[in-house]
């Protein structure tokens, strides 16, 4: 049976994203306690592919995922899912809000409920946990109970047999997290017309205006960027790489040309996949940047070169 990994345990938002992946239906779902462990299992071939969080609309990039994808043996993103984030505050049955002194959850979740906490439990202490669901299972019968309440998904509270003390406690009601399905680079999904490409760009340190030189590769070809984050390379202070999502597929002429341009101006380019967008939004192709425009220009150059003795 095909095995799909995910950042678990059962009850995480990441599991919800995997449950929404049609090819994973009927397959074995294998939870891992951290993003690093999840991606290590993909690299080792223990699972075919795995779902991990990459970006939240309130708190931004999931650095554990960005860093684990940028280095190590190659992996590619083969798809993405968006999950609406709704948090509850849950505790062991019998507890009331007045009993809550410590609250466990994932750091990204805590950042999304800080306002609610300040308004409702200003004296409570935050206890970081590996995931929102692990904060809930810690309170289940047999769990260690290292905190009084968990911030988690409603399903995690239910699975752990907890009582919900407050519902929908996120500060931003329309919060969404984006998850990516990651695999070893055996094949790249075919273009759909509504695709994204993910890259990590390492700038050359011996040239001024490094970031501008990277960005102009996209701008001159009318390519829209949907995410740009800088991450330390961890080699030396001030040395950064850029994690980027752009609209389009590696088979689109304008994307292919941008990639060859980046390969020239960057110290290194890590290609992390071309895949269908979860929102199915088709890329806006700027005037004079369609595949036909690029091919016509190539034909023109080819005809000129054919004249050379
Ligand atoms: O802990 C979970 O439930 C996760 O799936 C991780 C995660 C994240 O890394 O952002 C996913 C969605 C929420 O934004 C909070 C936590």
């Amino acid at each position: 049976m095909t095995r799909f990994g995910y950042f678990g345990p059962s009850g995480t938002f990441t599991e919800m994203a995997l449950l929404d992946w049609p090819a994973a239906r009927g397959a074995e779902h294998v939870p891992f306690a951290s993003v690093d462990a999840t991606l290590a299992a993909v690299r080792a071939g223990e699972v075919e592919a795995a779902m991990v969080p990459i970006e939240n609309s309130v708190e931004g990039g999931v650095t554990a995922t960005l860093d684990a994808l940028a280095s190590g043996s190659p992996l590619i993103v083969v798809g993405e899912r968006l999950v609406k984030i709704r948090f509850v505050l849950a505790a062991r049955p019998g507890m009331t809000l007045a009993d809550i002194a410590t609250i466990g959850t994932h750091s990204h979740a805590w950042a999304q409920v800080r306002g609610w906490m300040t308004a409702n439990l200003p004296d409570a202490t935050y206890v970081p946990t590996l995931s929102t669901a692990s904060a809930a299972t810690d309170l289940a019968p047999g769990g260690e109970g290292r905190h009084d309440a968990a911030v988690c998904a409603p399903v995690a509270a239910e699975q752990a047999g907890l009582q919900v003390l407050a519902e929908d406690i996120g500060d931003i009601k329309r919060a969404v997290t984006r998850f990516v399905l990651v695999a070893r680079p055996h094949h790249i999904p075919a273009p759909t017309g509504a695709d994204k490409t993910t890259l990590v760009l390492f700038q050359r340190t011996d040239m001024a205006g490094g970031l501008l030189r990277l960005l102009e590769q996209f701008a001159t070809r009318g390519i829209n960027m949907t995410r740009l984050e800088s991450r330390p390379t961890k080699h030396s202070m001030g040395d950064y790489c850029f994690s980027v999502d752009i609209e389009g597929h590696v088979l689109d002429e304008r994307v292919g040309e941008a990639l060859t341009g980046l390969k020239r101006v960057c110290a290194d380019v890590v290609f992390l996949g071309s895949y269908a967008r979860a929102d199915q939004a088709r890329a806006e192709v700027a005037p004079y940047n369609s595949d036909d425009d690029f091919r016509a220009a190539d034909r023109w150059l080819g005809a000129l070169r054919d004249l050379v003795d």
Side-chain angles (χ1 to χ4, degrees):
M1 187 192 274
T2 315
R3 287 159 59 90
F4 281 85
Y6 69 97
F7 172 39
S10 180
T12 57
F13 291 98
T14 315
E15 185 187 35
M16 289 179 207
L18 182 61
L19 292 172
D20 189 29
W21 188 260
R25 288 193 195 125
E28 187 185 349
H29 295 181
V30 188
F32 294 92
S34 67
V35 167
D36 280 325
T38 312
L39 295 180
V42 181
R43 288 192 162 106
E46 264 177 62
V47 291
E48 195 69 22
M51 194 66 86
V52 286
I54 192 163
E55 180 184 10
N56 171 261
S57 61
V58 178
E59 189 50 13
V62 180
T63 52
T65 302
L66 297 174
D67 291 353
L69 288 176
S71 58
S73 63
L75 291 173
I76 58 164
V77 175
V78 293
E80 65 172 12
R81 281 293 177 269
L82 298 171
V83 175
K84 285 191 190 134
I85 301 299
R86 205 160 63 83
F87 294 114
V88 296
L89 182 73
R92 287 179 168 156
M95 299 280 278
T96 67
L97 265 193
D99 303 321
I100 308 301
T102 54
I103 301 170
T105 197
H106 187 273
S107 55
H108 251 66
W110 185 253
Q112 295 175 69
V113 299
R114 261 196 306 248
W116 189 92
M117 291 297 166
T118 307
N120 295 280
L121 289 170
D123 298 326
T125 304
Y126 166 49
V127 180
T129 59
L130 286 175
S131 66
T132 56
S134 69
T137 53
D138 192 66
L139 295 174
E144 289 184 37
R146 280 167 289 201
H147 38 261
D148 301 324
V151 173
C152 58
V155 64
E158 194 186 318
Q159 287 177 9
L162 305 181
Q163 174 196 348
V164 171
L165 297 179
E167 279 185 274
D168 216 358
I169 63 171
D171 298 330
I172 307 291
K173 297 301 171 210
R174 285 165 46 197
V176 170
T177 298
R178 178 176 160 238
F179 297 85
V180 286
L181 190 75
V182 176
R184 279 171 294 150
H186 294 319
H187 76 100
I188 297 171
T192 63
D195 307 288
K196 251 186 211 172
T197 295
T198 298
L199 307 165
V200 184
L201 308 174
F202 292 82
Q203 58 182 335
R204 291 190 192 279
T205 48
D206 56 351
M207 290 177 120
L211 177 57
L212 182 62
R213 286 164 62 86
L214 311 188
L215 298 182
E216 68 190 9
Q217 301 302 322
F218 303 126
T220 57
R221 293 162 182 111
I223 295 173
N224 189 31
M225 233 178 358
T226 56
R227 185 179 60 84
L228 167 67
E229 275 168 276
S230 62
R231 291 292 303 150
T233 60
K234 301 171 182 47
H235 296 317
S236 60
M237 183 61 123
D239 194 10
Y240 284 87
C241 61
F242 300 98
S243 178
V244 176
D245 290 340
I246 54 170
E247 286 185 353
H249 191 279
V250 64
L251 278 194
D252 294 335
E253 299 294 338
R254 65 188 185 288
V255 174
E257 290 241 350
L259 286 179
T260 55
L262 289 166
K263 191 71 188 157
R264 281 185 293 105
V265 302
C266 291
D268 195 13
V269 178
V270 178
F271 174 79
L272 284 177
S274 289
Y275 50 91
R277 290 177 68 128
D279 61 8
Q280 298 178 351
R282 299 184 77 81
E284 293 256 339
V285 181
Y288 318 119
N289 283 290
S290 71
D291 282 355
D292 285 348
D293 293 324
F294 276 97
R295 285 184 197 129
D298 276 347
R299 278 197 302 277
W300 172 79
L301 180 64
L304 288 181
R305 287 176 169 173
D306 284 345
L307 297 175
V308 178
D309 289 332

